[in-house]
Amino acid sequence: MLEHLTTETRNEKTMNLDEMSIFDFLTTMNEEDEKVASAIKKELPSIAKAVEAIIKAKKQGGRLIYIGAGTSGRIGLLDAVECPPTFGTNPDEVIGLIAGGEKAFIKAVEGAEDSKELGMEDLQNIRLTKADIVVGIAASGRTPYVIGALEYANSIEAQTVAVSCNKGSDIGKVANIAIEVVNGPEVLTGSTRLKAGTAQKLVCNMLSTASMVGIGKVYGNLMVDVQLTNEKLVERAKRIVMEATSCTYDTAEEYLAKANCNSKVAIVMILTGLSYEESLHRLEQTQGFIRQAIVN
């Protein structure tokens, strides 16, 4: 029942929320938000297991699939759509699914989250395979749509992860790996777009970023697979090449042109003196890891 969920209980510090001054309320809210990072810290072992599973799936050609309803679904979608421009992934490598379909990102689709069958069907529609990994996100940990999706993924032997904000969650019991970040009650009772939403966003940040590092999408702390889709990103790529190789702006611009706007190839060309074709071959041999490609 909802009343037994931490995310649904009342916060003793905000019982008189409607009587508090704006500053006092903001101070209290800020203090509550500070608890999120500490709560996530307790779940780092489980998050690490999930990252390892994602890396394994990706190296075997599998996809990372986030699935959730409402705020949770939107957070998964947000992380998914940022992966192509940030890490150069194809749009179908990291997928976000939300109960009710894409239109539910803007406007809630009533009842969609209550259907286990819909969660299963949405995974069937993208032709889920056992090579994929499914991350079910639900603050309450009891959303039928997410449970149905995880149960279906398990049935075809795909790896599953659950991200919730309640201990002993239903989705955590279904998934192979359970990440349960307990932040305590929200300042506005039951409004899980607040601390719970923040926690879910931070966990998704970790899952995608750490796994992309693990498959060679990063050199040092540089986004070397960034896609040059606008002027800002073109300039960012030049700075990335400069930082990675200690070259000048003009050299970075020259080699990016020679490398067909591929930052990783440009970096390997500068650091090794190899041609475009040779540098590309080195990267292919090392599965995209620059650090390995530049070793003689």
Side-chain angles (χ1 to χ4, degrees):
M1 299 296 289
L2 286 178
E3 61 265 24
H4 300 304
L5 301 177
T6 302
T7 50
E8 298 294 329
T9 56
R10 298 184 69 183
N11 192 316
E12 294 294 332
K13 295 172 66 176
T14 59
M15 297 295 278
N16 63 332
L17 185 63
D18 56 338
E19 298 178 312
M20 296 170 71
S21 70
I22 291 173
F23 187 80
D24 285 346
F25 167 62
L26 295 178
T27 299
T28 302
M29 191 170 185
N30 181 241
E31 290 172 350
E32 288 295 298
D33 286 341
E34 288 177 344
K35 297 178 180 179
V36 176
S38 296
I40 289 175
K41 187 175 183 179
K42 297 175 182 177
E43 289 298 298
L44 288 179
S46 295
I47 296 171
K49 288 180 183 178
V51 170
E52 290 168 358
I54 294 168
I55 292 172
K56 182 178 180 181
K58 294 294 295 172
K59 286 184 175 180
Q60 295 176 345
R63 298 168 294 176
L64 167 58
I65 299 157
Y66 292 116
I67 189 163
T71 297
S72 299
R74 295 181 187 101
I75 288 169
L77 269 169
L78 180 62
D79 201 65
V81 299
E82 290 292 344
C83 284
T86 305
F87 299 111
T89 58
N90 293 323
D92 61 353
E93 286 186 60
V94 184
I95 299 172
L97 298 175
I98 184 171
E102 291 183 2
K103 60 183 179 293
F105 189 87
I106 298 173
K107 185 177 181 180
V109 176
E110 300 301 332
E113 69 176 68
D114 296 328
S115 172
K116 291 176 69 174
E117 291 73 21
L118 187 57
M120 177 185 70
E121 290 170 7
D122 282 352
L123 290 180
Q124 289 175 332
N125 288 339
I126 63 166
R127 295 180 174 82
L128 185 76
T129 74
K130 65 179 182 180
D132 299 324
I133 182 165
V134 177
V135 178
I137 311 173
S140 68
R142 63 188 292 277
T143 306
Y145 173 79
V146 178
I147 293 172
L150 292 172
E151 288 177 342
Y152 174 69
N154 286 339
S155 75
I156 66 165
E157 299 181 354
Q159 181 66 275
T160 52
V161 178
V163 180
S164 72
C165 294
N166 284 290
K167 279 294 180 186
S169 66
D170 291 344
I171 64 170
K173 293 172 183 175
V174 174
N176 301 135
I177 301 169
I179 300 169
E180 298 175 330
V181 183
V182 182
N183 308 290
E186 301 286 2
V187 294
L188 181 63
T189 306
S191 184
T192 52
R193 68 186 181 86
L194 301 177
K195 285 191 296 184
T198 300
Q200 291 169 333
K201 179 65 171 72
L202 292 177
V203 170
C204 287
N205 287 350
M206 289 179 166
L207 295 179
S208 58
T209 307
S211 61
M212 292 300 163
V213 172
I215 61 171
K217 296 290 186 178
V218 174
Y219 178 54
N221 62 354
L222 299 172
M223 294 189 295
V224 288
D225 258 330
V226 64
Q227 297 298 287
L228 315 190
T229 54
N230 59 45
E231 188 174 330
K232 178 191 75 174
L233 294 178
V234 169
E235 290 303 308
R236 178 176 289 167
K238 293 174 187 176
R239 293 199 306 273
I240 287 170
V241 173
M242 290 169 65
E243 290 285 346
T245 65
S246 299
C247 74
T248 65
Y249 180 91
D250 289 341
T251 299
E253 187 172 49
E254 174 190 349
Y255 274 84
L256 270 173
K258 289 180 178 179
N260 293 328
C261 296
N262 186 316
S263 302
K264 293 173 82 169
V265 176
I267 290 168
V268 174
M269 289 175 70
I270 294 170
L271 292 179
T272 64
L274 296 173
S275 68
Y276 168 77
E277 290 79 10
E278 291 169 325
S279 297
L280 189 61
H281 182 61
R282 280 276 188 95
L283 285 166
E284 290 172 349
Q285 286 183 315
T286 60
Q287 288 77 51
F289 284 88
I290 290 178
R291 202 170 296 279
Q292 296 175 19
I294 62 176
V295 175
N296 291 324

